[in-house]
Every structure is written in structure tokens, then in C-alpha cells.
Amino acid sequence: MVRVRFAPSPTGPLHIGGVRTCLYNYLFAKQHGGALLLRIEDTDQTRFVPGAEEYIVESFKWLGITFDEGVHVGGKHVPYKQSERMHIYKKYADELIEKGWAYYAFDTPEDLETKRKEAEAEKKTFQYDVNTRNTMCNSLTLSPEETAEKLQGNYVVRFKYPENTEIHVRDLIRGDVKINSQLLDDKVLFKSDGLPTYHLANVVDDHLMEITHVIRGEEWLPSAPLHVMLYKAFEWQAPQFAHLPLLLKPDGNGKLSKRDGDRLGFPVFPLQWKDPNTGEISSGYRESGYLPEAVNNFLALLGWNPGTEEEVMSMEQLIARFSLEKVSKSGAKFDLDKAKWFNHYYIQQKPNTVLAEIFAQQLAEKNIHPDIEKIEKVVALVKERVYFTTDFWNQSAFLFQAPETYNPEVVKKRWKEDTPLQLKQVIEILTSVSPFDKIVVHDKVVAFIQENQLNMGQIMNCLRLALVGDSKGPDLFEIIDFIGVGETVRRIERAMEEI
Ligand code: GLU
């Protein structure tokens, strides 16, 4: 049975690249009838950020990505938070020492700094590895007695790479990745404060939690040789690895960062995040008016494609079509226009009743409480122009309140000396048709303009200016129908006065 996990460290808001990693894990698990776990990797307590774990859980709830086991869910391998599993890891560090796959190191931070400086002076970089470990203060260079004595103080456990060995990482996306052990540093696995590092905790937990596939970001590829070796050292069967390509900036090269989002005006986090230390707010997809369906769909296509031209895919379709073989090796450029396009598409697909509920909430925040049927009508009228659910107000404010200002550019271009006179005649036509009928009024206004050989564009635009305050908005007679004749007349008169 396929078992995969998403294993974030709660060090801040979840980057959208992390969301994609989890989405791919989800698609893969669902397709194979397997399980997806959410494991919180918080062994590095110095980087812990309050609220980050809850943020992660809420993000996936919003996106509709569900976990079969994990924090906030439970499961047969509880606990799923590494800080609650600290008692587990020491015995595995001990086992590695016993088997000769690891050693104790006692070098002080000062010792290491000196080595670094010495290397720097020779224009080299110091690495604690196969080549240097014999010159350092560790259980390989000290006698058993000295080692026993030093173990009373501070120490770390380091992995002991075998000499001159080719290590193979078989990656489902990248194929066979090889590296020679001479080049790798003897990573710290465990510290005398009783805490494991990421590498040990990650591998031990993946094993104990019966993970079959490790699907994670490319930034973890350099750690993979160590992980492969750890499985070998423990004599455990290694999971299969798949390292996903990076998400790149929309312009230029390099990893997509929060700064790119700020610069180009799009969120790089699923939900809005307030930094608990600085109070700084980062925007989120949810608050920016994206629908979860759109986010899932465009994220799925950043680094994967179904091998056809198909782009719009529901979660069920993504589950059916996804395959690791079709994940690309090279980075995927974030495409803002595409993201917008998907969101617009999914908004058009949403029933007006659902959109009306979203919009009703926004209106309530402005203390506007129309009947839901009325909101549904508004939604139907302006939906086509809406790219984000947050656009509804901008596109329809004039349906709820008279304009307070008139776009000066439009005034300058359209409002002429005889405009008030013409609008007065429009008022007459409007009030003469009772009960109001938008088609009849439309035809009458058009006939009046044609008979008097007036300028159609000018009159219609001035009427729009009076009702909307600008040159935007849906069909004029729909607007009149919606706000009513009385309000229309009031707005025209007011515009005549103000302009
Ligand atoms: N805790 C790591 C992270 O923050 C997990 C990497 C992995 O999936 O092995 O992404």
C-alpha cells in the first residue's frame, strides 16, 4: 500500500511551493488508494514559530486536501509531531554507533571555527568528512577511555560515510543520481541535549510510519544520499524518492520568493499570515479572492502536465491523470496571468447562489445587508468581469449606492453643454413607461437619439457616468432595472448638479 507524507517544519507560513508538494503527495496517494500523512518536523526548536502549525492545517482545510493520518487527525503512529517523539530517536543514534556507522564528535564551536579559518586562508572550505575526520576530536581519534570521559560533556553524533563509495539515489523524476562519499560531509544526526537533527528524525519516522514514497522539493536532493545511506545502515528498506522541481520567479531565474510576490502583486502563501514577531502581514490566496479549485488546478500544472492539452481539471480528474513520470525535471515558472485565468474560469463555473453567499459576507462587513436574492442578481450581472471574489464590490458598488465622484477623464471626454438637456429627455422617457420595462425603455431611448440625430455614444456614456460614476459596468438598462426608476432619476439629477 502506498503511504506518503507531507512533513513541514513550522517555521512560518507555508510557501506555495510547499502547498504544491503536498498536493502532489495527495494526488499520488489518492490515485493509488494509499494514505497521506501530515507530520510536523519541529526538532529545531530555535526555528519554531507560534501559529505556524495551525496555519498549515487551516491551509489544507481550505484547499480541500485531506490527510488520512497526522497531527490534528491521529492515526496508528501517533504522535505525528516530532517534538512529542523525542524519546524515540536516541536508541537509533546508539544503534548507528554500535554498528560503526556513526561516531561521537567533541569538537567545540571554537575548534570548528579555527578549522574553517585555516581552510579559508588556503582558499578552501572546511568540511567535516572522510578526509578530515581523522584530524578532529572524536571517538575515532580518541582512546575509548578519553571518549568515555568526554561523553560526560557536550557531544554530537556524526554519520560516518564509508570511504570512496559511489552512492546512488534512485529518483523517480531524475533517474539515477550518483555522488561519491568523499564529497559528503559527516552530518550531525544527534546532539547531547537529546535532540535528533532533521536527518535522523526524518528517516527514522519515515521508516516507523511505513512511508513508501518520499515526494518532496528539490532542495532536499542534497540530503538524499545521506538518507539512502541511513536506510542502508539500519538495514531498512528505503522508500522510493521523487524530488520535485523548484517553483521559479515569473520573470528571470531563481526560486520564487515572497519578495517576488510583493513586487509583482500576488500571494506566495495560501492564507494571509501575520508575523507574530514583527506584525508584518503577508497576503494569502484565500484573502486575495482566489477559489481553492483554481489554486489546486494551477499549482498542479506548475511542474506537471497530463501529456495532453487539457488544462482545466477538477481534483478527481487530477487524481486520475497525475503521474510522477510526467513531472518535469526543470523548474516551473510561476505564471500570474494563468493563475488569474483559472480563477476567472472557476468563478464563472460557480453557481450564483454560492458566489452570492461569498459576496454577502463581504457586504455584511460594509454593513450592507440586502436580501440574498438581490445579491444573486448582482452576481449574475457582474460575474463576467470578476477575476477574484474580492472584485465583486468594485464591480458592483454602484448597484448599492450612488456614485460619490465622477471619473474626470470621462467627464472631460463625454459631458457636453447640451448633455443636461438630453438627459432631461431621457428622464421623461424613463418616467413615461409604467410599469418600467427595460426593453421598451431601451428602444425608446435609442429611437429618441436616432430621431434627433444625436450622438449615441455620448448620451449613453453620460447616462452611465451619472449612474456609475465611471465608464464601466454591465448593461445600462439592467442597471436601471436593478436600482429602479426613482433612484435612476435622482442620480441623473445629482450628476447634472455636480458636473
Ligand atoms: N521538514 C522538511 C521540510 O520542512 C521535510 C523535508 C522532507 O520532506 O524530507 O520540508
Side-chain angles (χ1 to χ4, degrees):
M1 172 161 161
V2 162
R3 289 175 60 82
V4 293
R5 84 306 194 265
F6 182 58
S9 298
T11 54
L14 186 61
H15 187 274
I16 199 73
V19 176
R20 187 202 53 181
T21 297
C22 189
L23 173 65
Y24 283 10
N25 273 286
Y26 175 79
L27 298 177
F28 187 76
K30 288 285 153 206
Q31 184 178 71
H32 291 91
L36 169 63
L37 282 64
L38 177 61
R39 184 173 72 225
I40 296 293
E41 300 207 326
D42 55 350
T43 52
D44 188 352
Q45 291 288 327
T46 57
R47 296 181 63 214
F48 174 81
V49 173
E53 181 186 327
E54 291 71 20
Y55 176 96
I56 291 166
V57 170
E58 201 185 330
S59 297
F60 291 115
K61 211 165 152 195
W62 177 64
L63 288 163
I65 292 175
T66 52
F67 297 93
D68 303 287
E69 295 171 31
V71 282
H72 299 249
V73 187
K76 59 177 172 175
H77 294 293
V78 283
Y80 289 88
K81 198 191 293 194
Q82 288 184 330
S83 58
E84 292 168 10
R85 302 170 62 79
M86 290 308 189
H87 56 285
I88 293 177
Y89 308 107
K90 181 165 190 307
K91 91 166 196 230
Y92 293 100
D94 292 346
E95 182 182 333
L96 290 175
I97 298 258
E98 250 161 62
K99 287 180 162 172
W101 279 102
Y103 58 93
Y104 297 112
F106 308 104
D107 318 84
T108 62
E110 295 75 35
D111 293 343
L112 293 170
E113 190 51 38
T114 311
K115 285 282 174 189
R116 250 176 243 129
K117 290 230 169 87
E118 280 171 18
E120 244 168 56
E122 291 173 46
K123 302 230 174 321
K124 288 185 191 149
T125 358
F126 171 72
Q127 185 166 272
Y128 209 120
D129 61 14
V130 178
N131 309 303
T132 59
R133 61 168 81 115
N134 289 333
T135 67
M136 305 299 290
C137 183
N138 54 45
S139 56
L140 304 173
T141 57
L142 299 177
S143 69
E145 294 74 31
E146 285 168 322
T147 299
E149 197 193 308
K150 287 236 180 243
L151 279 176
Q152 305 305 314
N154 283 339
Y155 65 87
V156 296
V157 174
R158 285 183 182 271
F159 188 69
K160 187 170 165 232
Y161 277 108
E163 276 179 45
N164 211 1
T165 307
E166 193 104 277
I167 302 170
H168 293 249
V169 178
R170 286 186 185 80
D171 188 279
L172 293 170
I173 297 165
R174 278 144 223 282
D176 197 6
V177 183
K178 283 178 271 186
I179 185 152
N180 192 288
S181 63
Q182 299 296 115
L183 300 170
L184 297 167
D185 64 327
D186 291 349
K187 281 265 181 313
V188 173
L189 301 175
F190 197 82
K191 293 166 285 162
S192 51
D193 59 5
L195 301 181
T197 60
Y198 153 73
H199 301 289
L200 183 69
N202 182 270
V203 166
V204 166
D205 282 348
D206 279 348
H207 170 70
L208 295 178
M209 295 178 183
E210 305 166 274
I211 297 303
T212 58
H213 296 76
V214 168
I215 305 169
R216 61 185 172 193
E218 188 184 303
E219 62 272 32
W220 300 102
L221 189 58
S223 302
L226 173 60
H227 298 181
V228 166
M229 289 307 283
L230 282 170
Y231 283 101
K232 193 175 155 129
F234 284 120
E235 294 166 69
W236 293 336
Q237 192 188 341
Q240 300 207 56
F241 290 96
H243 289 90
L244 306 173
L246 292 177
L247 284 193
L248 304 175
K249 303 173 186 305
D251 52 353
N253 287 321
K255 204 172 152 179
L256 177 70
S257 73
K258 181 174 133 39
R259 247 176 297 133
D260 300 315
D262 294 342
R263 186 168 54 88
L264 300 166
F266 63 89
V268 292
F269 302 119
L271 313 180
Q272 183 174 291
W273 166 260
K274 185 172 175 194
D275 188 296
N277 295 319
T278 62
E280 188 198 351
I281 297 208
S282 305
S283 65
Y285 280 89
R286 182 178 65 184
E287 291 74 14
S288 302
Y290 281 84
L291 293 176
E293 295 90 326
V295 176
N296 287 329
N297 198 156
F298 83 74
L299 272 186
L301 290 168
L302 285 176
W304 168 82
N305 69 78
T308 63
E309 293 294 294
E310 204 175 8
E311 286 194 309
V312 172
M313 282 168 276
S314 65
M315 197 62 115
E316 286 67 38
Q317 289 168 324
L318 289 171
I319 291 168
R321 316 239 194 306
F322 183 74
S323 79
L324 285 172
E325 291 71 39
K326 289 212 167 67
V327 172
S328 80
K329 288 193 196 53
S330 49
K333 258 194 196 322
F334 185 89
D335 184 341
L336 181 57
D337 289 333
K338 209 62 209 234
K340 265 173 91 169
W341 181 86
F342 273 110
N343 209 50
H344 181 254
Y345 173 85
Y346 279 101
I347 287 176
Q348 306 317 303
Q349 301 306 306
K350 274 256 180 255
N352 293 346
T353 45
V354 176
L355 294 173
E357 267 164 42
I358 298 175
F359 190 27
Q361 273 181 23
Q362 299 169 8
L363 288 170
E365 278 163 28
K366 297 184 189 299
N367 232 335
I368 304 175
H369 304 278
D371 292 344
I372 195 79
E373 292 78 31
K374 203 166 169 196
I375 304 179
E376 267 176 54
K377 265 195 202 159
V378 174
V379 162
L381 274 179
V382 302
K383 185 174 178 179
E384 228 177 273
R385 293 177 179 75
V386 165
Y387 280 79
F388 303 103
T389 55
T390 43
D391 288 345
F392 276 113
W393 175 250
N394 243 336
Q395 292 296 342
S396 70
F398 51 85
L399 294 174
F400 299 97
Q401 61 192 27
E404 274 159 20
T405 54
Y406 303 94
N407 184 336
E409 271 169 44
V410 185
V411 173
K412 197 166 160 223
K413 188 166 166 213
R414 301 289 190 182
W415 199 276
K416 302 284 161 266
E417 219 172 295
D418 51 0
T419 297
L421 197 69
Q422 293 158 356
L423 290 183
K424 263 187 199 147
Q425 281 172 291
V426 172
I427 291 181
E428 257 167 49
I429 299 171
L430 268 175
T431 45
S432 69
V433 180
S434 177
F436 175 82
D437 182 306
K438 62 186 176 204
I439 297 170
V440 176
V441 171
H442 167 265
D443 292 349
K444 283 199 171 205
V445 172
V446 169
F448 153 73
I449 295 170
Q450 284 170 345
E451 278 160 23
N452 294 286
Q453 292 178 338
L454 301 170
N455 181 336
M456 182 79 72
Q458 188 196 327
I459 294 181
M460 291 301 193
N461 273 290
C462 286
L463 186 53
R464 184 177 291 280
L465 192 63
L467 303 187
V468 176
D470 212 331
S471 56
K472 65 177 189 188
D475 181 81
L476 257 182
F477 297 89
E478 294 277 9
I479 298 176
I480 297 173
D481 190 23
F482 187 86
I483 63 175
V485 174
E487 173 66 9
T488 303
V489 172
R490 269 195 296 283
R491 289 192 193 183
I492 296 174
E493 284 171 347
R494 179 150 181 262
M496 293 197 296
E497 239 167 68
E498 296 277 323
I499 302 175

